[in-house]
Amino acid sequence: MSDAPEQIFAEPTLDQQSPPAEKPVGGRIFFSGAERSLVEEDEINLTSVGVDIGSSTAHLLFSRITLERLDTRYVVVEREVIHASDILLTPYLENSDIDTERLQAFIDKQYWQAGIDRAEVDSGALILTGVAVRRRNARAIGELFAAEAGKFVAVSAGDRLETVMAAHGSGAVEASRDGRRIVNIDVGGGTTKIAVCEAGEITHLTAVEAGARLVVTDAARRISRLERFGAEALDRDATEPDTPAAALGQVLPAARRDGLARDMARRIMAALRGRAEADHHRLPPLPEGLDFDGVIVSGGVSEFFYGRATESYGDLGPEMARTLRQCLSEAGAAILPHRDGIRATVVGASQYSVQLSGSTVYLDPIEVLPLRNVAALRPVLPLADEVIDPGAVARAVAEALALREAGEAGDAINAEPVAIALAWEGSASYGRLDGLARGLCQGLAPVLDAGHPLVIVSDSDIGGLLGMHCRENGLTDNAIVSIDGIALSTFDFIDIGEVIRTTGSVPVVVKSLIFPGEGTSSSKDPDA
């Protein structure tokens, strides 16, 4: 592979078991932790915690959220970080499972340092990535938060979803809203995730095998942790024919560390250029020929890249940061300031809002409610077309479902129900409703086959029509919840309460995973 710089960056221009909401009583919605009504107060203050547990590190972020009433819903107007935890190198047992006892001790210490009792937390988000998503690890970690299960939304993020979350958390998505094409490079312990952002949207993404903790050494420079890809890269980079194969306990000279860092940086740069190298891509490559107006680096290596960290942890963080910065500079990259670095995938809080679905709802059977912590999917649907193609709808839904990847131990990606969020356009003719309904049921087949209800949430008053169409045409035998008058976005989770008998409507609590600078009109976040 050539080391010659290649112009892929454009010249700079001037120019996210007590349920969070209890059963509705008389139409009011209550936070169980705070015991106060969202319907009666104009301003609500919430204490929230974001927890990120991954292959390499674990950390927490405590926030105070202020919500104000805006017509029929509450919106976040201020987010203040009140405590950012220490960074813990994720502890492992000898069988490679996460050591939950040490993890529990770390979490308890961070609550103590923050001066916050667990009972005082109103909401939160538990993000699991990498090996934390494996079935045994995810179950064990979930048990640490069992008492707060109803308050937390839990996200098991595979490569795609983690890439999306990092791009939002780093500020890359927000930075692209001014018309620039911004690329976010999230360099973690085992993988590097790359997201291309344009006009506030992620247009392309990929992930490659390159990370700072694929090889880790102790104080004597002996290899103490060695992942398969790290061993392969070391052996490939060996300059002497008699160099022994990489192995635990082997001394790793500085020159070989530097060589490995260069190899990984070159792979990241190749991924930016859209060059497909099947041996290290975890996701399909980016399109070739893209150029970028700026780059933001996030993840653990970003702490060294931006000079926020100097202490070495025996991994390749300092070497990768130095080499990657050099490669980007040679390629003409405009390096932009990052927002949260290693904490880019930590969601600081869950934003709560409350809405009432209109009376045109369809529920069958009515006993399916209430539903808690249902993840919203907002696929890009062809709803502007005069004729809605069921196949196109099904493909779009399948792509949205692909973000909810399986864990490494074969965890089912459809273990929980999902809600399809629609922004309806055009007339509600029989043919258009039929195309949409058939496409939704086809695309959601894996979820429906797992026995979950068909949950549809529309921003326009077609909830009753759409749900009735699905049932009367025998498109599914599953329970159906089709509601309208609710607007949902990416990273939203919803609670749907029981029907308010006096109005025929249903209360919906929307919990949005929010990132510093997104979804708030003001912020006291020091990194915002």
Side-chain angles (χ1 to χ4, degrees), residues 146-313:
E148 300 98 334
K151 299 179 183 180
F152 278 73
V153 294
V155 180
S156 295
D159 289 331
R160 290 181 180 86
L161 184 53
E162 189 175 355
T163 304
V164 171
M165 297 184 75
H168 279 269
S170 71
V173 171
E174 190 71 15
S176 73
R177 294 186 189 278
D178 62 4
R180 293 178 296 173
R181 179 184 287 162
I182 306 299
V183 61
N184 185 71
I185 305 174
D186 187 81
V187 190
T191 58
T192 294
K193 279 77 64 179
I194 300 173
V196 180
C197 309
E198 302 178 70
E201 301 287 342
I202 296 173
T203 55
H204 307 285
L205 58 81
T206 190
V208 294
E209 300 273 11
R213 296 189 68 79
L214 292 173
V215 178
V216 179
T217 57
D218 58 20
R221 296 199 171 215
R222 296 185 180 277
I223 298 176
S224 59
R225 178 176 172 182
L226 183 63
E227 302 293 341
R228 179 184 62 83
F229 182 78
E232 292 174 356
L234 274 175
D235 292 340
R236 192 167 45 245
D237 191 62
T239 56
E240 300 296 332
D242 58 347
T243 302
L248 291 174
Q250 184 182 105
V251 174
L252 190 64
R256 294 197 72 189
R257 292 174 63 94
D258 289 339
L260 181 56
R262 283 194 301 271
D263 179 75
M264 292 189 184
R266 286 195 298 262
R267 288 176 176 271
I268 294 171
M269 297 304 294
L272 283 174
R273 299 180 182 112
R275 293 178 178 167
E277 298 186 26
D279 63 330
H280 76 278
H281 267 84
R282 295 171 63 96
L283 295 175
L286 301 179
E288 290 193 55
L290 292 178
D291 60 6
F292 308 103
D293 299 301
V295 59
I296 294 177
V297 178
S298 61
V301 170
S302 72
E303 299 296 294
F304 298 98
F305 187 91
Y306 288 100
R308 290 176 52 161
T310 57
E311 180 183 358
S312 174
Y313 297 95

Side-chain angles (χ1 to χ4, degrees), residues 23 55 86 125 161 207 242-243 245 269 285 323 377 397 434 473 521:
K23 183 184 298 186
S55 300
D86 300 328
L161 184 53
D242 58 347
T243 302
M269 297 304 294
T323 307
L377 301 183
V397 172
D434 187 66
N473 288 276
S521 59

Side-chain angles (χ1 to χ4, degrees), residues 68-88:
E68 288 184 358
R69 186 202 301 271
L70 180 63
D71 297 326
T72 59
R73 63 181 293 166
Y74 285 78
V75 297
V76 171
V77 295
E78 187 173 288
R79 172 185 180 276
E80 178 186 4
V81 174
I82 54 181
H83 178 71
S85 81
D86 300 328
I87 306 295
L88 174 72

